[in-house]
Structure formats: structure tokens, C-alpha cells
């Protein structure tokens, strides 16, 4: 199994794995393309450059505003009619799926990467995917941590730190995020 398949499968990827060289090649390409994306003057150019970073065509109904950052890009999938506001950051080595009709507020962070607690292994990565369901709204400054699924139609309040799955049709908020009410 390639390092990319292992990353998408989740779990610990040792920092001593010789296949990291393949990952760093893509990271360096992403850094260069990100600089181009973030200096772009219009949404169509941003969409085209992000399509190149992700290795998939971003639907014309989707809007991404700069600045935007990702450390890898190839493990992110973005649906149709998605809006991603200024200053968002996606750490996607473990895989990010964003379904259709999602609203992502400014400064939102989607994080699929963590480190083991054991100090002797801490420089390795512990990867778990993030899944954002259809018609979700992520409020400004929300942080979605590794392994979290945000269910369809749900709202994550501004500034929330989401450490556990969010059921469909609910609103969560706080640090850590807790159930507020059903929609």
C-alpha cells in the first residue's frame, strides 16, 4: 500500500517512513501553487489554481476566497455550491470530504493530523479523516479536529472546537463543542 493510501486509511505514519519523500514533493508543489492562489485577484483564478492543488476540478458553483491554505491538497474533495470564506486552513493528509451546499466561515480550520502522545514517537503523524455533510454551516473560527464527521444540515457555532461527531440537523457550540439544539 502506498503512503498516500495509508494516509487516507488513517492511523500512525512513522516520521521515519522512507516514503515521506514522495509526500514532501507534493507539499512543495502545494506551497508554490498556494502562493499563486493567494496573490490571485479573482475567484475564477482561485478556483482554477485550487483545482490544480487538489487534483480535481472545482465546480463553477463553488467559491473560495483568498487567503486560503492547505498543506497537501490532494486528499481534499469539495462538492458543488460550496462557499469557503477568507483565511481558511485545511490540513488534509488524513483526508477531507466537503459535500454539496456547505458554508464555511472565515478562519475555519479543518484538521486531519495529530501526533502520538508518546514522546519517543511524537514526530510521527496520527491521521483521521474529516467529513463535512451536505448543507452544513461552519461558523467563523470553528475548528474541526481529526476523525470528526459533521452531519447533514448541522451548524457549528463560531469559535467552536469540534472534537466529536456532530449528528445531522443539530447546532453545536463551545470549547469543546456541545449540543445546543436540534434544527
Amino acid at each position: 500500500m502506498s503512503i498516500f493510501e495509508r494516509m487516507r486509511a488513517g492511523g500512525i505514519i512513522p516520521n521515519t517512513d522512507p516514503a515521506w519523500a514522495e509526500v514532501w514533493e507534493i507539499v512543495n508543489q502545494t506551497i508554490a501553487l498556494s502562493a499563486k492562489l493567494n496573490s490571485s485577484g479573482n475567484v475564477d483564478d482561485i478556483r482554477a489554481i485550487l483545482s490544480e492543488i487538489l487534483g480535481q476540478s472545482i465546480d463553477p458553483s463553488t467559491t473560495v476566497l483568498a487567503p486560503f491554505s492547505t498543506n497537501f491538497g490532494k486528499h481534499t474533495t469539495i462538492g458543488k455550491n460550496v462557499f469557503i470564506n477568507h483565511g481558511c486552513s485545511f490540513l488534509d493528509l488524513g483526508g477531507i470530504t466537503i459535500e454539496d451546499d456547505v458554508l464555511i466561515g472565515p478562519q475555519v480550520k479543518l484538521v486531519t493530523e495529530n501526533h502520538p502522545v508518546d514522546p519517543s514517537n511524537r514526530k510521527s503523524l496520527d491521521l483521521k479523516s474529516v467529513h463535512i455533510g451536505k448543507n452544513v454551516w461552519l461558523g467563523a473560527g470553528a475548528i474541526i479536529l481529526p476523525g470528526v464527521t459533521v452531519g447533514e444540515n448541522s451548524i457549528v457555532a463560531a469559535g467552536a472546537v469540534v472534537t466529536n461527531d456532530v449528528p445531522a440537523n443539530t447546532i453545536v457550540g463551545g470549547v469543546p463543542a456541545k449540543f445546543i439544539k436540534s434544527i
Side-chain angles (χ1 to χ4, degrees):
M1 185 181 310
S2 76
I3 190 165
F4 306 111
E5 292 167 326
R6 289 184 285 136
M7 287 175 162
R8 293 298 299 246
I12 295 177
I13 308 292
N15 66 316
T16 56
D17 192 313
W20 272 110
E22 296 174 65
V23 176
W24 282 110
E25 284 181 37
I26 294 172
V27 168
N28 287 330
Q29 293 168 7
T30 299
I31 290 167
L33 287 168
S34 294
K36 186 176 170 185
L37 181 151
N38 288 316
S39 66
S40 176
N42 73 62
V43 174
D44 291 331
D45 289 345
I46 291 169
R47 188 180 306 108
I49 297 164
L50 186 58
S51 293
E52 191 174 350
I53 290 170
L54 302 186
Q56 67 163 12
S57 180
I58 302 297
D59 191 84
S61 64
T62 289
T63 300
V64 179
L65 301 181
F68 172 84
S69 64
T70 182
N71 61 336
F72 188 70
K74 301 294 188 210
H75 290 172
T76 295
T77 303
I78 299 174
K80 296 178 182 175
N81 200 33
V82 172
F83 181 82
I84 301 173
N85 213 322
H86 298 279
C88 290
S89 176
F90 295 2
L91 300 181
D92 76 325
L93 288 175
I96 294 172
T97 301
I98 300 169
E99 293 189 22
D100 297 342
D101 302 307
V102 170
L103 295 173
I104 300 179
Q107 303 295 322
V108 167
K109 293 172 181 32
L110 304 181
V111 181
T112 67
E113 304 160 23
N114 204 349
H115 297 277
V117 173
D118 177 6
S120 67
N121 195 26
R122 195 163 293 152
K123 291 187 179 179
S124 297
L125 283 181
D126 188 0
L127 305 176
K128 294 178 186 165
S129 65
V130 166
H131 189 111
I132 308 301
K134 187 175 183 177
N135 205 38
V136 163
W137 174 17
L138 302 177
I143 301 172
I144 312 300
L145 293 178
V148 169
T149 294
V150 180
E152 185 172 308
N153 300 317
S154 292
I155 297 172
V156 175
V161 177
V162 184
T163 60
N164 293 303
D165 289 350
V166 176
N169 302 300
T170 60
I171 299 174
V172 299
V175 179
K178 301 223 182 291
F179 173 83
I180 294 173
K181 70 178 187 175
S182 294
I183 299 174

